[in-house]
Amino acid sequence: MRTYLQIVSAAAICFATSTFAASAADPVTVVGWGGTWDKAYKDGVWDKYTEQTGTPIVMEEWGGEVAKVRAQVQAGNITYDVVSVEAPAMEVGCAEGLFVPLTPEITGDAANYLPGTLHECGVASDTWATILAYNTDVYKGDAAPKSWADFWNVEKFPGKRGLYQQAQFTLENALMADGVKREDMYKVLGTPEGVDRAFAMLDKIKPHAVWWSTTTQGIQNLDSGEVALSDGFNARITNEVINEKKPYAIAWDAGFFYGTDYWAVVKGAPHQQGGLDLLKWFSIPENQAGFSKLYAYGTGRKEAADLIPADWKANLPTSPEHLQHGASYDNDFWTEHKEALEERFKAWLAK
């Protein structure tokens, strides 16, 4: 491992001094998700890139609206160079030609990436998980929930529970509660009977659900004691535990699905080549690891996990101890079915 790291480090230095020297004066505008996510990227990745290459990074934030990229491209007034997009938006944007296709020269060998973390037009900016979290002051030791079936068991675990107010993520959790294995999830959910089965499970939990639509709202529900267990995004729960000293825990063994946001270069961007250079540098494992060392989301490249301290890696959904309980969201499934299932979910919620 030491030899490997030495080789990677030497390659990164050589790459930085040769490839990027010519464009060092041109800034690259990178658009991310804001808040602590952006701060982790600045401190762990972008500052290092600027230090090595002299290329300034201009940071902006957004809500992932691919329509904004489309409007810039159609108007011929592109201000974004590199953007982080969710998987369904990546599928749409890539198909429309809004993003530049990436070659193995940019990303490295696809075999070195976790399933679902590399796309024709993107490389993983972060890999997150939707997990089962609970208050350890309420549920202690062996009395803590250990599965999604426990989450649905209001007799054994009475009280309200937090649930994310959308079909994606929620339907998978409902079917796991009904005994569907992760590896069979999209076989089941891809049938009308499977969808009906998921909504039947939601019928059971609906009287006990407190719905949230933002991570801040979900955490507030836990903080206020309105709920003592909730679904949620893993990094936000970890932040509450480590930085805010909150009495929460994640039931990783319950099973979870992980998803990926991708860095993509906007086609025709004012600094398109600078964006591609940035992603080539970012695709080196030690550079990818810079983000995950500061924020509890995983990396795309498998080797990057070896560069993260063991005690912190235990918080990542992509750590070997947790990944055995996880599976990737099926991006193709949700690209095809998201609109219809979200509409059905909204109608169901309004009843």
Side-chain angles (χ1 to χ4, degrees), residues 87-89 91-92 168 186 189-191 330-342:
E91 294 291 342
V92 172
Q168 188 177 1
Y186 294 101
L189 199 53
T191 66
D330 189 322
N331 296 335
D332 291 338
F333 174 87
W334 281 109
T335 299
E336 180 178 354
H337 299 288
K338 186 173 179 63
E339 183 176 358
L341 289 178
E342 294 295 351

Side-chain angles (χ1 to χ4, degrees), residues 90-130:
M90 169 58 77
E91 294 291 342
V92 172
C94 189
E96 292 184 11
L98 300 178
F99 304 134
V100 180
L102 303 181
T103 65
E105 181 186 1
I106 299 291
T107 63
D109 190 343
N112 294 328
Y113 286 79
L114 292 170
T117 64
L118 188 64
H119 188 275
E120 176 188 353
C121 294
V123 59
S125 58
D126 58 283
T127 301
W128 44 267
T130 52

Side-chain angles (χ1 to χ4, degrees), residues 65-76 92-93 96 98 266:
E65 307 92 333
V66 70
K68 288 187 175 181
V69 177
R70 185 185 299 114
Q72 289 187 13
V73 171
Q74 291 175 346
V92 172
E96 292 184 11
L98 300 178
V266 180

Side-chain angles (χ1 to χ4, degrees), residues 132 134-136 138-147 150 156-157 249 251:
L132 190 165
Y134 61 92
N135 188 317
T136 56
V138 177
Y139 304 114
K140 304 176 185 291
D142 292 339
K146 298 177 176 61
S147 67
D150 285 347
K156 184 176 180 181
F157 301 93

Side-chain angles (χ1 to χ4, degrees), residues 94-302:
C94 189
E96 292 184 11
L98 300 178
F99 304 134
V100 180
L102 303 181
T103 65
E105 181 186 1
I106 299 291
T107 63
D109 190 343
N112 294 328
Y113 286 79
L114 292 170
T117 64
L118 188 64
H119 188 275
E120 176 188 353
C121 294
V123 59
S125 58
D126 58 283
T127 301
W128 44 267
T130 52
I131 45 74
L132 190 165
Y134 61 92
N135 188 317
T136 56
D137 284 345
V138 177
Y139 304 114
K140 304 176 185 291
D142 292 339
K146 298 177 176 61
S147 67
W148 289 102
D150 285 347
F151 188 96
W152 252 253
N153 189 339
V154 296
E155 288 76 27
K156 184 176 180 181
F157 301 93
K160 298 290 187 178
R161 48 263 285 136
L163 279 168
Y164 192 26
Q165 193 171 310
Q166 72 172 39
Q168 188 177 1
F169 316 148
T170 306
L171 295 183
E172 284 95 342
N173 294 343
L175 287 177
M176 281 195 288
D178 202 33
V180 175
K181 296 179 179 179
R182 295 184 301 281
E183 58 267 30
D184 297 329
M185 182 60 62
Y186 294 101
K187 296 177 185 176
V188 175
L189 199 53
T191 66
E193 296 79 12
V195 174
D196 289 344
R197 182 176 171 183
F199 276 95
M201 289 297 290
L202 291 182
D203 285 337
K204 294 179 181 180
I205 205 72
K206 190 175 186 180
H208 311 277
V210 176
W211 300 98
W212 59 273
S213 57
T214 68
T215 53
T216 297
Q217 184 182 15
I219 292 297
Q220 287 174 344
N221 292 341
L222 280 167
D223 289 346
S224 68
E226 186 173 9
V227 304
L229 65 166
S230 180
D231 58 3
F233 296 106
N234 72 283
R236 188 59 190 268
I237 297 298
T238 297
N239 178 70
E240 294 297 309
V241 172
I242 293 177
N243 296 327
E244 305 298 330
K245 311 303 180 186
K246 299 289 180 60
Y248 307 147
I250 295 174
W252 290 105
D253 293 0
F256 63 90
F257 281 83
Y258 65 85
T260 297
D261 300 328
Y262 300 92
W263 288 122
V265 176
V266 180
K267 192 171 184 178
H271 305 104
Q272 177 176 304
Q273 186 57 50
L276 292 171
D277 290 344
L278 174 61
L279 292 194
K280 184 173 184 177
W281 178 90
F282 176 71
S283 295
I284 296 170
E286 66 173 338
N287 298 331
Q288 282 200 13
F291 171 74
S292 293
K293 288 177 180 178
L294 301 177
Y295 204 83
Y297 284 161
T299 62
R301 288 197 69 143
K302 300 173 186 176

